[in-house]
Amino acid sequence: MRKKIVAGNWKMNNDLNKSLALISDLLKKVPQTNAEVMIAPTFVNLIPAVEAVKGSHIEVIAQNMHFAENGAYTGEISAEMLGSIGVKTTILGHSERRAYFNETDESLAKKVNTALKHNMRVVFCIGEELADRKANKHFDVVGSQIKNGLFHLPAEAWQHIVLAYEPVWAIGTGETATPDQAQEIHHFIRKTIADKYGKGVADKVSILYGGSVKPDNAKEIFAKEDVDGGLIGGAALKADDFVTIIKSI
Ligand code: PEP
């Protein structure tokens, strides 16, 4: 059985006080569940967040990291630094990173290598823009993001990879892929992995859906066979909404 996961991406939101208040609320409200629950606060709040969730089943993860081991990369954060404070998972390739910070499949492939070298798990984001979807190119775009970012990996590395399919047109817009659209592309993603690595590997990869998941649509989306949970943006900033989404899985 592959893992069910609900991950909250806080992006550049919540100062220290707000982060700790939200965590404290979550600790009271997050149900005991078989699903893994992750939250990704901003870098500066990772240390207190890791401390605050100790002993709970909430995992604190990073939103990004650099591909280099260390060195002259002003403003950047390395895998080793994250590991040293107890962060064992990072999101990579979020569409905002790809769009605003020029992250490419090639630079992401390097980041994936560095993360895995440091025994970190990766939540790797993929997803097409609206123009791609309108031109019926979404399968090509998503397929090449997977191939270019991840197909250099050996089969055994896939146990450390979680995929997050996030159509860019659905992120923060209130637009959501329909459950059937999500299932269609999640199935395509799993088949793409199976064609390269075999069904045994593909069936174990958790594929999350992200893009305006809310308390009132989560259940329908999560019910789809190839949807193994969600990467949640806006709704992860409100404890009650995030908890309702977790309960939907
Ligand atoms: C995200 O940015 O990963 C995301 C899914 O955002 P939202 O839920 O706000 O659309």
Side-chain angles (χ1 to χ4, degrees):
M1 267 299 272
R2 53 186 176 258
K3 289 179 194 128
K4 302 276 184 194
I5 300 172
V6 180
N9 175 13
W10 292 5
K11 311 189 183 187
M12 199 174 73
N13 292 297
N14 290 337
D15 65 10
L16 178 59
N17 288 338
K18 285 185 192 156
S19 297
L20 291 177
L22 180 50
I23 290 172
S24 146
D25 220 4
L26 290 174
L27 289 172
K28 285 183 216 129
K29 294 177 177 170
V30 168
Q32 279 304 327
T33 155
N34 288 336
E36 288 189 38
V37 177
M38 305 172 176
I39 53 170
T42 181
F43 283 128
V44 288
N45 292 329
L46 286 175
I47 293 176
V50 167
E51 194 56 38
V53 301
K54 260 191 192 142
S56 79
H57 72 293
I58 299 176
E59 181 185 355
V60 170
I61 71 172
Q63 297 177 14
N64 179 36
M65 49 155 259
H66 199 262
F67 56 74
E69 290 291 332
N70 52 44
Y73 296 98
T74 302
E76 293 293 333
I77 308 280
S78 72
E80 185 180 42
M81 291 168 188
L82 293 171
S84 73
I85 61 165
V87 173
K88 301 188 180 78
T89 304
T90 184
I91 298 171
L92 289 178
H94 190 280
S95 60
E96 288 151 16
R97 301 279 333 159
R98 291 179 188 256
Y100 308 144
F101 301 97
N102 303 321
E103 297 206 352
T104 61
D105 290 345
E106 291 66 36
S107 66
L108 289 167
K110 289 204 249 176
K111 288 188 177 201
V112 169
N113 291 345
T114 309
L116 296 181
K117 186 174 162 205
H118 287 268
N119 299 317
M120 291 189 75
R121 189 160 52 149
V122 172
V123 179
F124 191 82
C125 301
I126 51 182
E128 80 284 357
E129 312 242 353
L130 184 58
D132 302 321
R133 167 84 42 179
K134 283 192 170 156
N136 211 26
K137 287 196 184 136
H138 44 297
F139 294 111
D140 290 345
V141 170
V142 166
S144 67
Q145 287 171 336
I146 297 170
K147 285 173 194 152
N148 296 336
L150 299 169
F151 270 14
H152 62 285
L153 296 175
E156 59 274 16
W158 278 83
Q159 60 188 297
H160 307 294
I161 304 290
V162 172
L163 284 175
Y165 167 68
E166 300 203 299
V168 178
W169 47 272
I171 294 182
T173 58
E175 290 262 341
T176 326
T178 65
D180 286 341
Q181 282 175 323
Q183 170 57 25
E184 180 186 42
I185 198 143
H186 280 228
H187 177 75
F188 165 80
I189 292 166
R190 202 174 304 287
K191 185 174 175 318
T192 302
I193 302 167
D195 288 348
K196 164 89 174 163
Y197 292 98
K199 195 169 175 323
V201 171
D203 279 348
K204 290 199 188 97
V205 178
S206 299
I207 307 175
L208 315 185
Y209 171 79
S212 297
V213 176
K214 305 285 177 212
D216 59 0
N217 61 22
K219 209 171 200 154
E220 261 192 301
I221 297 171
F222 292 168
K224 291 294 176 184
E225 191 184 338
D226 286 294
V227 178
D228 304 307
L231 181 54
I232 319 297
L237 298 173
K238 294 186 197 131
D240 289 334
D241 286 359
F242 192 53
V243 166
T244 306
I245 291 169
I246 294 166
K247 286 180 180 164
S248 306
I249 199 140

